[in-house]
Amino acid sequence: MRLSRTAAFVLQASLILLFLAGSSAPSPLYAVYQSAWGFSPIMITIIFGTYALAVLATLLVAGSLSDYTGRRPVLLVATLLQVITMAIFATAHGVGALLVGRVVQGISVGMAGGAVGAGMIDIDREKGTLANSALPPLGTATGGLLAGLLAQYLPAPTVLVYVVLGVVFVGQLVALLFMPESISPQPGALASLRPRIGLPPNLRRPTLLVAPALVGAWALAGFYLSLGPTLARRLLGSHSLALGGLVVFVLAASGSITVMLTRLRPAASLVTFGAAGLIVGVGLTLLAMASMSSVVFFLGATIAGMGFGAAFQGSMRMVLPLAAPHERAGVLSVLYVIAYLAMGLPAVLAGIGVVYGGGVIATAREYGMGVMALSSLALVGTLARRRSVSTVAAPAKS
């Protein structure tokens, strides 16, 4: 028995959704781990950065592997690694276990990122491109909120969410056994494992154009996923674990909703809108830190999330549709390399700033100004490109 094309698409969509949910699930729980094991904010961002580094390294080595072996074998291994990750997290009794779990999880997400994204595009180019933009932030929102609520209101806060996700991953692993392959295997699988990063010539300029927007958006995501819950509790004077999950949910859910609502807009205009949204949203967040206003803080997170969703979707749609079938996983991996490098490195630097700089508020202020600067660069670049395209097109109409 084989799954239909529609069922295969839904299965792969569920993979990307729940893989990202699993990656954000630890975020609201860092306060619990920190209280139990007594580590500093630097260690929180190192744990988070370890995950991003593992994703990055895997993308460089195996990001295009599914273009040669087919999508299904890569996804089977990646999903098995997710099951192992949940077992490590559920039984963790120290920082070392969290670091190991994050490495295994990063390898899993790095393997799956290009394979599942390309697999959905193999089945339906338009819906696959949309799913690649909408589902990562939706998964991030789901994992953060689920972990926060389970930890706040049910027993075993550092176990239950991982058991729930682990059971789901086992079900997905079984379903993958019945998923048909969407491309034919190609020679060169071993050669593709050589660490490298590259793009087809026709995709280099579009990728360079969207890079500042990608970097700004994912740097913001990295900060919210690592230190966002701590910042929210500090601003609101609360120790609620659910609050930490709510902050992640607001940012990511607004991004996912924006992707769905703007799916018919031109890609370049989405990058412009996204960059502007990041500038306004982060600016409001900085204002909230100055005024200690919870209303302004969540309004800023919502608008910043909208900017994240629009910038991410616009970037994907400007690049991915230009890739040939056996280039898709590799191209998608390059975009994720940019994203995860932007997400992981600044977050670790922010953790150092919290401990050795002026604390979480001062570090968040400096971080926010950096995101605004990158977003301004993306905004200027896309506006300049649109103006040049209009100038070239004008004589053709006369």
Side-chain angles (χ1 to χ4, degrees):
M1 184 182 76
R2 281 282 181 259
L3 299 179
S4 68
R5 287 173 62 85
T6 300
F9 186 95
V10 171
L11 173 60
Q12 291 179 85
S14 74
L15 288 173
I16 194 170
L17 177 77
L18 290 165
F19 275 33
L20 271 294
S23 72
S24 66
S27 293
L29 304 180
Y30 286 141
V32 180
Y33 296 132
Q34 190 175 19
S35 176
W37 302 332
F39 53 77
S40 75
I42 293 179
M43 183 54 66
I44 293 177
T45 55
I46 288 176
I47 293 169
F48 180 79
T50 298
Y51 162 75
L53 183 62
V55 175
L56 179 65
T58 305
L59 287 169
L60 291 173
V61 174
S64 62
L65 181 61
S66 74
D67 284 337
Y68 300 91
T69 63
R71 315 301 185 200
R72 191 165 68 118
V74 173
L75 292 177
L76 281 167
V77 175
T79 307
L80 177 61
L81 290 177
Q82 282 289 347
V83 175
I84 294 171
T85 297
M86 296 302 108
I88 294 172
F89 283 155
T91 57
H93 294 290
V95 172
L98 290 183
L99 289 171
V100 171
R102 283 306 238 174
V103 169
V104 177
Q105 187 174 52
I107 294 171
S108 170
V109 172
M111 291 184 67
V116 72
M120 289 189 294
I121 294 175
D122 293 339
I123 297 172
D124 188 312
R125 177 177 291 196
E126 182 178 346
K127 291 181 180 178
T129 301
L130 177 63
N132 274 305
S133 303
L135 292 178
L138 182 60
T140 300
T142 301
L145 185 62
L146 178 66
L149 290 175
L150 292 180
Q152 184 68 34
Y153 299 111
L154 292 176
T158 60
V159 175
L160 185 57
V161 67
Y162 302 125
V163 172
V164 171
L165 288 171
V167 170
V168 175
F169 289 137
V170 169
Q172 290 176 323
L173 186 64
V174 173
L176 280 169
L177 296 173
F178 302 95
M179 187 184 82
E181 183 55 65
S182 57
I183 64 168
S184 58
Q186 302 288 319
L190 290 178
S192 74
L193 296 178
R194 291 196 304 266
R196 60 185 177 183
I197 183 169
L199 288 165
N202 65 311
L203 297 180
R204 291 170 187 168
R205 185 173 179 180
T207 302
L208 183 63
L209 180 67
V210 303
L214 271 178
V215 171
W218 283 85
L220 178 72
F223 181 80
Y224 267 85
L225 286 169
S226 57
L227 294 177
T230 301
L231 176 61
R233 286 191 292 269
R234 180 71 61 84
L235 286 176
L236 305 181
S238 170
H239 298 288
S240 171
L241 297 174
L243 177 63
L246 180 62
V247 172
V248 175
F249 177 81
V250 167
L251 179 83
S254 62
S256 183
I257 292 170
T258 300
V259 170
M260 298 301 297
L261 293 178
T262 60
R263 64 188 183 277
L264 301 180
R265 300 292 300 170
S269 67
L270 287 178
V271 176
T272 302
F273 174 78
L278 288 170
I279 294 169
V280 173
V282 174
L284 286 173
T285 303
L286 297 180
L287 179 62
M289 289 187 287
S291 63
M292 302 297 288
S293 170
S294 59
V295 174
V296 176
F297 177 75
F298 278 103
L299 177 62
T302 301
I303 296 176
M306 293 169 63
F308 172 86
F312 185 42
Q313 178 185 196
S315 301
M316 289 289 188
R317 283 174 48 193
M318 286 182 69
V319 177
L320 276 181
L322 303 177
H326 284 90
E327 297 172 342
R328 287 171 184 160
V331 170
L332 190 59
S333 295
V334 170
L335 295 177
Y336 277 127
V337 164
I338 297 171
Y340 277 94
L341 187 61
M343 185 171 67
L345 182 58
V348 173
L349 295 177
I352 295 172
V354 169
V355 175
Y356 296 109
V360 66
I361 300 294
T363 300
R365 188 179 300 114
E366 295 167 0
Y367 198 111
M369 288 188 291
V371 171
M372 291 175 73
L374 284 166
S375 302
S376 298
L377 180 61
L379 182 61
V380 171
T382 51
L383 287 175
R385 180 180 181 274
R386 292 174 68 180
R387 188 176 297 112
S388 65
V389 170
S390 299
T391 302
V392 171
K397 295 179 181 180
S398 62

